[in-house]
Amino acid sequence: MVTVAAVLIGDEILSGEVEETNSRVLVETLRATGASLGRIVIIPDDPDEIAREVRHCSDAYEHVVTSGGVGPTHDDRTMEGVAKAFGRPIVRDPAIATIIKRILKDGANEAALTMADVPEGSHLIDAGAYPVVAYRNIYILPGIPEIFREKLGYLRERFSDAPTHVGRLFLGCYESVIATELAAISRERLGVTIGSYPRLSGEYRVQITVKSQDVAAVEHALELLRERLPAEHLLRVCPPEVSSKDDQAR
Amino acid sequence: MVTVAAVLIGDEILSGEVEETNSRVLVETLRATGASLGRIVIIPDDPDEIAREVRHCSDAYEHVVTSGGVGPTHDDRTMEGVAKAFGRPIVRDPAIATIIKRILKDGANEAALTMADVPEGSHLIDAGAYPVVAYRNIYILPGIPEIFREKLGYLRERFSDAPTHVGRLFLGCYESVIATELAAISRERLGVTIGSYPRLSGEYRVQITVKSQDVAAVEHALELLRERLPAEHLLRVCPPEVSSKDDQAR
């Protein structure tokens, strides 16, 4: 399984000045690629915190996506945080400096050119109007929602993995009625992940999800659950389908 | 400043099965209390990850709020994670067991009663229909949005702090035009936090926020910024007001 972690950076998100929307875009995009999103962290524009978090994520996950803190002002500290995480200096990337000069012309002052300052050893992976660099397995994306969405779209194929299949059962009882049997089945090494999600109101009280990249394993587990969970509470069973954002409204 | 960290727990959020809404409730609630939200983390139902994260947050912040993973099924691992973080055993809380028996009556089977299993040393802080415990400075809340919102509301006063005042300046230029001056002003130890937030379109290109619990410090910094930022780009200045969810739409 391809694993991804996300580090969203910005005081303004935590203080509520700006409504955070990039995490939703990230969840939807990764869901469509089949990759597994292992962690989302929202932290302030603090180089030490950024360093600590990106280092952990870079070591523990295959890919890391960051969002925010890459502009020209004093509160844009992401590059400094990433550099600090790996003990690397910040250096000016000539290719990015050239892009900035081309776009901003007379406006390419020293502050604007600081946007070309990246951790030594970074790679320019997108030389468009908003250049993007990666350091190691860390993709450093701008936080502005329109640009974040566009840049993440370009990265999609790097995260692609075999699709995950999801089957579902809907029941009309409390979770506690089925918890013991569900735990027993989930211990049977069926090669699937079984989740249980209660709801306070609506047509069902609990949704059971069965997930795996192996569709036959999902089918087998669904069959077992259908046999062993109490028939009087079972409302419906949905056969496996590929997990994608389209079934999110369910 | 009262600091708070949030740990939102659930595979279903990261996979996109369920749309995450508790973080927004948390940001809004804390914004209204004056407390500073220092970190939001979304992690899977994994006891080791839960243990690592709540331990870090409990040590580094004044209060920690968790959401999710407290039901009766095999994928509800939050109590186990918190216990593990501090090397404590899980014990059955008799008061919670009594509540479960009173509410579920004949349905209070062993699985239901596992919801009374908490880290040794926990405190029952809400003995309502959905009991809530705290361990150390960690408030362990259910993930179901309606209940999370209600329980967090009860906790509000524990997080209350002096209100933060925010003044704003709106400019019509790129951030890079003002970045150098802004950095200089932000180094002047004015007792405020200065943020800079660019936008791609709309009536302004960059919003500068000036924040502090000391309203006079905000007024002084706003005056300095008004004098020193280029007048030809300044669109308007908004005097300090108390930060609350009402100004989020700005």
Side-chain angles (χ1 to χ4, degrees):
Chain A
M1 198 94 192
V2 175
T3 62
V4 181
V7 183
L8 314 181
I9 299 155
D11 295 346
E12 72 279 15
I13 304 170
L14 292 163
S15 69
E17 288 290 317
V18 167
E19 196 172 298
E20 199 285 299
T21 57
N22 290 345
S23 62
R24 188 151 310 163
V25 172
L26 198 75
V27 167
E28 285 172 11
T29 303
L30 290 177
R31 185 178 171 90
T33 64
S36 168
L37 181 58
R39 176 182 183 84
I40 299 174
V41 189
I42 306 175
I43 54 175
D45 297 291
D46 177 278
D48 292 320
E49 284 208 52
I50 296 167
R52 176 183 177 280
E53 193 60 52
V54 297
R55 180 70 207 223
H56 167 69
C57 290
S58 177
D59 291 344
Y61 302 85
E62 228 165 305
H63 303 284
V64 183
V65 174
T66 76
S67 154
V70 295
T73 54
H74 64 286
D75 55 349
D76 291 306
R77 315 291 295 270
T78 300
M79 293 296 178
E80 184 183 341
V82 174
K84 200 164 193 168
F86 299 94
R88 301 296 290 261
I90 290 281
V91 295
R92 184 150 299 179
D93 185 296
I96 300 177
T98 301
I99 295 169
I100 293 169
K101 286 175 190 159
R102 176 167 51 77
I103 292 172
L104 295 184
K105 302 195 173 70
D106 287 354
N109 59 11
E110 175 53 28
L113 289 171
T114 62
M115 290 190 283
D117 293 347
V118 300
E120 187 181 56
S122 296
H123 302 278
L124 181 60
I125 59 166
D126 179 341
Y130 291 85
V132 172
V133 299
Y135 179 82
R136 274 180 41 152
N137 57 345
I138 304 161
Y139 304 97
I140 303 168
L141 270 53
I144 297 178
E146 301 91 321
I147 308 177
F148 180 80
R149 181 187 286 273
E150 181 192 321
K151 300 296 182 186
L152 192 68
Y154 297 153
L155 292 175
R156 265 184 68 142
E157 66 190 38
R158 294 180 188 236
F159 305 141
S160 67
D161 197 357
T164 294
H165 302 270
V166 190
R168 298 163 205 273
L169 298 95
F170 295 87
L171 295 105
C173 58
Y174 284 120
E175 275 191 306
S176 52
V177 174
I178 55 165
T180 305
E181 192 60 40
L182 207 57
I185 294 170
S186 75
R187 279 192 301 268
E188 287 177 24
R189 303 182 178 282
L190 302 170
V192 299
T193 303
I194 299 177
S196 172
Y197 306 113
R199 246 188 7 179
L200 290 187
S201 58
E203 41 121 18
Y204 66 85
R205 291 302 300 269
V206 55
Q207 176 183 178
I208 309 296
T209 61
V210 180
K211 301 174 122 186
S212 174
Q213 290 184 329
D214 175 359
V215 67
V218 176
E219 280 164 352
H220 175 64
L222 274 183
E223 200 41 48
L224 269 185
L225 285 160
R226 186 209 295 269
E227 279 167 30
R228 288 167 52 181
L229 293 181
E232 68 271 29
H233 297 304
L234 190 62
L235 301 174
R236 61 193 164 97
V237 180
C238 298
E241 52 183 8
V242 170
S243 169
S244 78
K245 84 177 247 216
D246 299 332
D247 58 2
Q248 211 166 9
R250 202 170 290 258
Chain B
M1 198 93 190
V2 175
T3 62
V4 181
V7 183
L8 314 181
I9 299 155
D11 295 347
E12 72 279 16
I13 303 170
L14 293 163
S15 69
E17 288 289 317
V18 167
E19 196 172 297
E20 199 285 301
T21 57
N22 290 346
S23 61
R24 189 151 310 163
V25 173
L26 198 74
V27 166
E28 285 172 11
T29 302
L30 291 178
R31 185 178 172 89
T33 64
S36 168
L37 181 58
R39 175 182 183 84
I40 299 175
V41 189
I42 306 175
I43 53 175
D45 297 290
D46 177 278
D48 291 322
E49 283 209 53
I50 296 167
R52 176 184 177 280
E53 193 60 53
V54 296
R55 180 71 206 222
H56 168 68
C57 290
S58 177
D59 291 344
Y61 302 86
E62 227 165 304
H63 303 283
V64 183
V65 174
T66 76
S67 154
V70 295
T73 54
H74 64 285
D75 56 348
D76 291 307
R77 314 291 295 270
T78 300
M79 293 296 178
E80 185 184 341
V82 174
K84 199 165 193 169
F86 299 94
R88 301 297 289 260
I90 290 281
V91 295
R92 184 150 298 178
D93 184 295
I96 300 177
T98 301
I99 295 169
I100 294 169
K101 286 176 189 161
R102 177 167 51 76
I103 293 172
L104 294 185
K105 303 195 172 69
D106 287 355
N109 59 11
E110 176 53 28
L113 289 171
T114 61
M115 288 190 284
D117 293 347
V118 300
E120 188 181 55
S122 296
H123 302 278
L124 181 60
I125 58 166
D126 179 341
Y130 291 86
V132 172
V133 300
Y135 180 83
R136 272 178 47 150
N137 56 346
I138 305 161
Y139 304 97
I140 304 169
L141 270 53
I144 297 179
E146 300 91 321
I147 309 177
F148 180 81
R149 181 187 285 272
E150 181 193 320
K151 300 296 182 185
L152 192 67
Y154 297 154
L155 293 174
R156 265 183 70 141
E157 66 191 39
R158 293 180 189 236
F159 305 141
S160 67
D161 198 356
T164 294
H165 301 271
V166 191
R168 300 162 203 275
L169 298 95
F170 296 87
L171 295 104
C173 58
Y174 285 119
E175 274 191 306
S176 52
V177 174
I178 55 165
T180 305
E181 192 61 39
L182 207 56
I185 295 171
S186 75
R187 277 191 302 269
E188 287 177 24
R189 302 182 178 281
L190 302 171
V192 299
T193 304
I194 300 176
S196 174
Y197 306 112
R199 249 191 1 182
L200 289 187
S201 58
E203 40 121 18
Y204 65 85
R205 290 302 299 269
V206 55
Q207 176 183 178
I208 309 296
T209 61
V210 180
K211 300 174 124 187
S212 174
Q213 290 184 328
D214 175 358
V215 67
V218 176
E219 280 164 353
H220 175 63
L222 275 183
E223 201 41 49
L224 270 185
L225 285 160
R226 186 209 296 267
E227 280 167 30
R228 288 167 53 180
L229 293 181
E232 68 270 29
H233 297 303
L234 190 62
L235 301 174
R236 61 194 162 97
V237 180
C238 297
E241 52 183 7
V242 170
S243 169
S244 78
K245 82 177 247 214
D246 299 331
D247 58 1
Q248 210 164 11
R250 204 168 289 259

